[in-house]
Amino acid sequence: QKEVEQDPGPLSVPEGAIVSLNCTYSNSAFQYFMWYRQYSRKGPELLMYTYSSGNKEDGRFTAQVDKSSKYISLFIRDSQPSDSATYLCAMRVDSSYKLIFGSGTRLLVRP
Amino acid sequence: DSGVTQTPKHLITATGQRVTLRCSPRSGDLSVYWYQQSLDQGLQFLIQYYNGEERAKGNILERFSAQQFPDLHSELNLSSLELGDSALYFCASSVGRGGIGNEQFFGPGTRLTVL
């Protein structure tokens, strides 16, 4: 079993929809949680990071961490075709600098 | 643009050969990380350097080695290349060694094709 599980998709939604992307994990020691966006053949771009449980909002993006359920989410409001990309969750424990990535969810926002 | 630069963008080589990938971190960042991204394995951490010293090792093969130079740029050396080494290789950098606010920013990657 992988440490971090993420549905590979693809997830196809119409423009303007609310998108929900999720990851589950098994290591309760994870404390830092990140979401990266990766366009085809490009490097991952950091979107959001959170420490411990709770919500964090940045513009159209909201990151949510539920440590009791070992579940993290990224919500995208008013989705745009430019949001079409692969979204990777990543996490690490406090004492390590190694990021553990999910396999990525491919999102397609249809005009 | 993250501020992390990587060269070359593409590399095509043959099995058994050796290649060197280069990374320059963002201005002010002391840590450099190398990752490998393949279709079957996803993004895998290889190794981290902080201010010239190796800090952490991940799933890095013995045929692979890395170093960070005094000007903080880093090189990843891949030798005795095999077909399975074909992948995207990313470099990331961060300010420090860990903790809050020490997030990693990725470069555009080097696509390695081994024929």
Side-chain angles (χ1 to χ4, degrees), chain B residues 45 50 69 71:
Chain B
F45 169 77
Y50 174 77
F69 295 87
D71 67 353

Side-chain angles (χ1 to χ4, degrees), chain A residues 2 4-11 21-23 35-36 38 85-90 101-107, chain B residues 37 41-43:
Chain A
K2 291 184 178 179
V4 180
E5 298 280 358
Q6 188 175 7
D7 188 331
L11 178 61
L21 303 165
N22 311 295
C23 287
W35 286 95
Y36 284 84
Q38 186 175 24
T86 296
Y87 289 79
L88 299 151
C89 64
F101 280 87
S103 55
T105 298
R106 197 154 62 92
L107 172 66
Chain B
Q37 187 175 39
Q41 295 290 325
L43 255 173

Side-chain angles (χ1 to χ4, degrees), chain A residues 57-94:
Chain A
E57 190 173 316
D58 184 1
R60 296 186 295 114
F61 298 92
T62 299
Q64 196 172 73
V65 174
D66 182 348
K67 291 189 75 178
S68 62
S69 303
K70 298 192 183 71
Y71 189 87
I72 70 170
S73 300
L74 178 71
F75 299 95
I76 307 174
R77 290 181 297 280
D78 187 24
S79 56
Q80 303 295 309
S82 59
D83 294 328
S84 298
T86 296
Y87 289 79
L88 299 151
C89 64
M91 45 199 80
R92 65 179 174 89
V93 302
D94 190 29

Side-chain angles (χ1 to χ4, degrees), chain B residues 45-115:
Chain B
F45 169 77
L46 295 178
I47 197 164
Q48 179 207 1
Y49 278 82
Y50 174 77
N51 204 20
E53 293 188 4
E54 183 184 304
R55 292 290 301 180
K57 248 181 179 178
N59 303 321
I60 187 166
L61 299 172
E62 284 191 14
R63 301 183 285 108
F64 296 1
S65 64
Q67 54 184 325
Q68 187 179 28
F69 295 87
D71 67 353
L72 301 177
H73 91 271
S74 177
E75 292 181 356
L76 179 67
N77 300 296
L78 315 176
S79 61
S80 303
L81 285 167
E82 302 175 359
L83 295 176
D85 297 327
S86 296
L88 269 167
Y89 291 85
F90 289 106
C91 168
S93 72
S94 68
V95 171
R97 293 172 286 184
I100 298 175
N102 188 52
E103 305 322 311
Q104 296 176 31
F105 295 87
F106 282 74
T110 293
R111 180 173 293 277
L112 173 67
T113 302
V114 182
L115 300 174

Side-chain angles (χ1 to χ4, degrees), chain B residues 1 13 15 22 25 30 33 36 38 54 66 70 79 84 94 97 100-101:
Chain B
D1 185 356
T13 188
T15 55
R22 184 188 168 104
L30 299 178
Y33 311 77
Q36 179 192 58
S38 60
E54 183 184 304
S79 61
S94 68
R97 293 172 286 184
I100 298 175

Side-chain angles (χ1 to χ4, degrees), chain A residues 5-53:
Chain A
E5 298 280 358
Q6 188 175 7
D7 188 331
L11 178 61
S12 181
V13 301
E15 183 175 353
I18 296 175
V19 175
S20 172
L21 303 165
N22 311 295
C23 287
T24 59
Y25 61 95
S26 56
N27 187 349
S28 58
F30 285 139
Q31 290 187 305
Y32 297 90
F33 305 92
M34 283 132 281
W35 286 95
Y36 284 84
R37 177 175 63 195
Q38 186 175 24
Y39 292 111
S40 181
R41 296 176 177 264
K42 301 289 186 184
E45 171 194 4
L46 180 63
L47 280 178
M48 303 277 288
Y49 70 90
T50 54
Y51 173 71
S52 197
S53 283

